[in-house]
Amino acid sequence: MYLLVIGISALVLTLNGPLYGLISGPGALAAALAATTLLPAVVALCVMRQVLRLLDADPAHPARGQAAHARGMGIIQGLLAVGQGGVMLVTDWLAWCDRLPVVGTWPAISGIVALLPLLASILLVWTALYPADRAVRQIAVELYLLRGKPLRPVWRFVQYLLYNLRHQVLFVLVPMLLILAASDVIGHYSAVVRRATGQMYAPDVLVGVAAIVVAVITPEILRHVWITQRLPDGALRDRLLLLAGKLRLRFREILIWRSGGMIVNAAVMGVVAPLRYVLITDGMLEQMDDAKIEAVFGHEAGHVKRHHILFFLLFAFTSGCLATIFTLHTHATAGGLLDTQQLLVARLGAVLVFKWGFVFGWISRRFERQADIYGVRTLALSGLPCLQPCAVHAPVENPGPAAERDGLCATAAHVFGDALNEVALLNGIRPEARSWRHSSISSRSRFLQQLAQEPRQVRRFERGVLLSKLGILIAAAVTGIWAAYDLKMLDVILRALS
């Protein structure tokens, strides 16, 4: 859901009015808003009924119901993206928000108003899906009982809404609104900025700088948007800090991520160490043993040590540069012709959809597997005893330096795979369920087992990920230089015309 919020917020940030203007007038606008807001909720009701029917039909085998829930969420998010994106592109909704009395003069307020249909539709979807979500989570709760672990009641409706609102909407919306507010303020004083700097594109640069600042400080904001607290002193904290020291992993704090015991997960956020936090949910602390928590901690450490957050930001930076390049060339090529402008912008949209819809998912899945490998190595580093034939500790075939340097401990790979499967089951997710960003849990576990048996495959995989990172770096450098050049040339042209 958070990628959807990012995408719609980006449209609010970049558009001043309809690109295609197919729907206008108060009546048509109201009908379009009502349809795009209510249709996903109607579909959510149908999904909820199907999930409950499948779960009731075969309570001992809930996989079909869980799969229907996952597929339904994918369809609903697609409807939200198409409907809400269409409102921004083909109606005068954004222009209407800007014309509201008082609202249009306050930074970010018109943007918030523009996002209200999206927020209303998401809340209606969650309301419709709650019975299905509750039933799926009840399966995980029953698993807690079988494991003899502490039991918490499934979320009440208000708890469910508040958790989703905090972690799927405000998680993204708060930083985006800060950028939107900065953009509005800079836009209001753009003439002053241009006169002071002597550069026509200085306001655009300032917006970019503001976005970087927001990206840096966001973890400090989000630790309060989410419900978190410091992991208390104790054996687990000592083990994690000792492990972080061995990994040379720097962060500000390890936090407990409060979810009412319903979520079993961990995360890391922060570009710079003084504002970097490692988060572990209360559900994970209650339901998993320390060795598996160390495995998940190692996975999150892998995201930091392999610089995944930085490369994701460079990936986003490339999108911003492409948008700048297309915008400048649109004005230069279109010559004021609306049809030509629309065609060029449609091409940009297609490029960005392909980039985020396919390329981003492919890169993200590879990064997840690289973090898994790091998690396995972290487990071995933590002192986990090797209990089976292993190419690292007890090579049985082709022993040598390459196996010890590149290989994975077979026992650590097995324990890490168990930890992944446990996280999936405790969250009510089928291990075989595909994931656009993470791959299925089962495929990730099998991949690690394969690498443990074939050490040379580890080096081949790491080399492939390195090439992916190099591609992101080159793309960011090329598009950044290109955008800067185009902006400079635009400045020269405007000066000559004046």
Side-chain angles (χ1 to χ4, degrees), residues 43-57 64-73 75 129 132:
V43 174
L45 278 173
C46 297
V47 171
M48 180 269 293
R49 290 175 180 172
Q50 183 188 24
V51 171
L52 293 181
R53 179 175 57 80
L54 291 172
L55 292 176
D56 290 340
R64 291 180 63 198
Q66 293 170 334
H69 187 270
R71 286 195 304 270
M73 281 302 302
I75 293 171
L129 283 176

Side-chain angles (χ1 to χ4, degrees), residues 13 97 194 222 225 268 270 274 287 303 320 326 336-337 387 432 492 497:
L13 182 64
C97 291
R194 290 190 180 100
L222 292 183
V225 171
V268 62
Q287 300 300 326
H303 284 307
F326 265 83
L337 298 176
L387 302 176
E432 301 82 12
V492 171
L497 291 176

